[in-house]
Amino acid sequence: MITADRLRSIAFWAHDLNEKEREYARRGIIEKAFAKGAYICHRGDYLESWIGVTSGLIKLGSFSRSGKAVSLVGVPSGGWFGEGSVLKNEARQYDVIALRDTRIALMNRPAFLWLFENSVVFNRFLVRQFNERLGQFIALVEYDRMLNAPARVARSIAWLFNPTLCPDRPRQLEISQEEIGLLSGLSRQAANASLKLLESKGLLRLERGKLTVIDVSRLLRFEE
DNA sequence: GCATTAACAGCCG
DNA sequence: CGGCTGTTAATGC
């Protein structure tokens, strides 16, 4: 179980809840650490928790029948995901992998369902969250069929900075170019070339193991 | 053509 | 040293 202070710092959605609701949330949450490369869950698992990334970076993805990795979307520190699987009480649709050492928060299903049944504010949050994810997944269709490498990298990064899914993210993100490649479904070398192009266009700034986003909305629309 | 893997040198913490 | 980056060469769809 976590403290009220801890809840405030890891759960942006809890800010507008009333005291009783926050208390239910707090008591339903534990934290766990995962090493770089570890699976947080596999597709097909019944993981009965709603998950928040409290530090580090994870990736939602899966494997095609041929064994090829399909990367869907990254979730950076501050983001929460998996509400669909908890609500429907169904198996996870995707593998979840820690791209670097990562801490996650797990809210158990009873706590989640209590908030779902009792809190209007929490439900408003959920609707916004679902809506935003739906937009991302629709954009993913375009992503595969129409976009070249730099545009893919641009979107993969921009999605990490989605202000609804991950509000108040610092513009600077600790992420290596290899991890960008994993998120974008590209090799490290291809990610490197794309990143340099995006930097030359003034959309972001590169440092060793870090990047700073300069213009999220241009990244989101970038095509070349 | 475009992206991938392999390989290597340079750099930085 | 070990991890990250920038680049090139060879290969594949």
Side-chain angles (χ1 to χ4, degrees):
Chain A
M1 214 183 291
I2 60 175
T3 65
D5 270 358
R6 185 65 181 153
L7 179 70
R8 191 170 328 124
S9 71
I10 67 175
F12 70 90
W13 45 265
H15 292 181
D16 298 327
L17 301 183
N18 66 35
E19 207 164 314
K20 184 180 178 191
E21 292 164 348
R22 269 205 303 277
E23 186 60 10
Y24 265 87
R26 183 184 74 76
R27 280 193 252 151
I29 292 176
I30 58 167
E31 285 193 87
K32 265 190 183 175
F34 288 83
K36 173 178 180 162
Y39 275 77
I40 290 159
C41 71
H42 289 86
R43 179 154 68 151
D45 284 353
Y46 282 84
L47 180 58
E48 299 227 314
S49 299
W50 186 42
I51 301 176
V53 179
T54 62
S55 73
L57 179 66
I58 61 99
K59 177 181 85 162
L60 308 189
S62 59
F63 285 88
S64 64
R65 201 169 307 169
S66 58
K68 197 180 150 205
V70 181
S71 178
L72 295 172
V73 65
V75 182
S77 152
W80 288 73
F81 67 93
E83 54 280 346
S85 293
V86 177
L87 266 184
K88 290 182 280 183
N89 199 20
E90 69 174 14
R92 295 285 158 163
Q93 304 285 302
Y94 316 111
D95 295 319
V96 181
I97 303 166
L99 290 184
R100 53 172 54 224
D101 288 352
T102 292
R103 289 184 66 80
I104 63 171
L106 297 134
M107 180 190 283
N108 65 42
R109 184 169 148 83
F112 184 91
L113 291 182
W114 187 91
L115 286 167
F116 179 62
E117 297 294 340
N118 293 280
S119 170
V120 171
V121 171
F122 189 71
N123 276 276
R124 284 209 198 99
F125 156 75
L126 280 181
V127 169
R128 280 200 306 277
Q129 177 99 350
F130 278 128
N131 206 25
E132 212 58 40
R133 282 269 183 248
L134 183 61
Q136 269 187 350
F137 277 65
I138 286 172
L140 216 48
V141 176
E142 173 190 49
Y143 184 95
D144 264 344
R145 296 184 187 165
M146 299 165 61
L147 299 176
N148 63 10
R152 291 186 185 205
V153 169
R155 278 161 181 71
S156 297
I157 294 168
W159 288 338
L160 295 177
F161 288 83
N162 180 304
T164 302
L165 295 173
C166 214
D168 306 320
R169 263 217 66 76
R171 296 157 87 62
Q172 181 169 287
L173 181 65
E174 265 199 26
I175 188 170
S176 72
Q177 298 189 357
E178 182 180 11
E179 290 161 345
I180 304 259
L182 289 171
L183 280 182
S184 316
L186 294 166
S187 66
R188 178 180 70 78
Q189 295 89 327
N192 173 257
S194 297
L195 285 166
K196 304 223 81 172
L197 176 73
L198 295 172
E199 183 178 43
S200 77
K201 304 245 174 198
L203 299 177
L204 50 80
R205 200 167 62 244
L206 296 172
E207 288 166 79
R208 186 187 188 73
K210 271 186 281 187
L211 71 80
T212 305
V213 169
I214 294 170
D215 192 329
V216 185
S217 61
R218 273 175 70 206
L219 272 181
L220 196 56
R221 286 164 190 68
F222 182 84
E223 285 184 53
E224 197 218 18

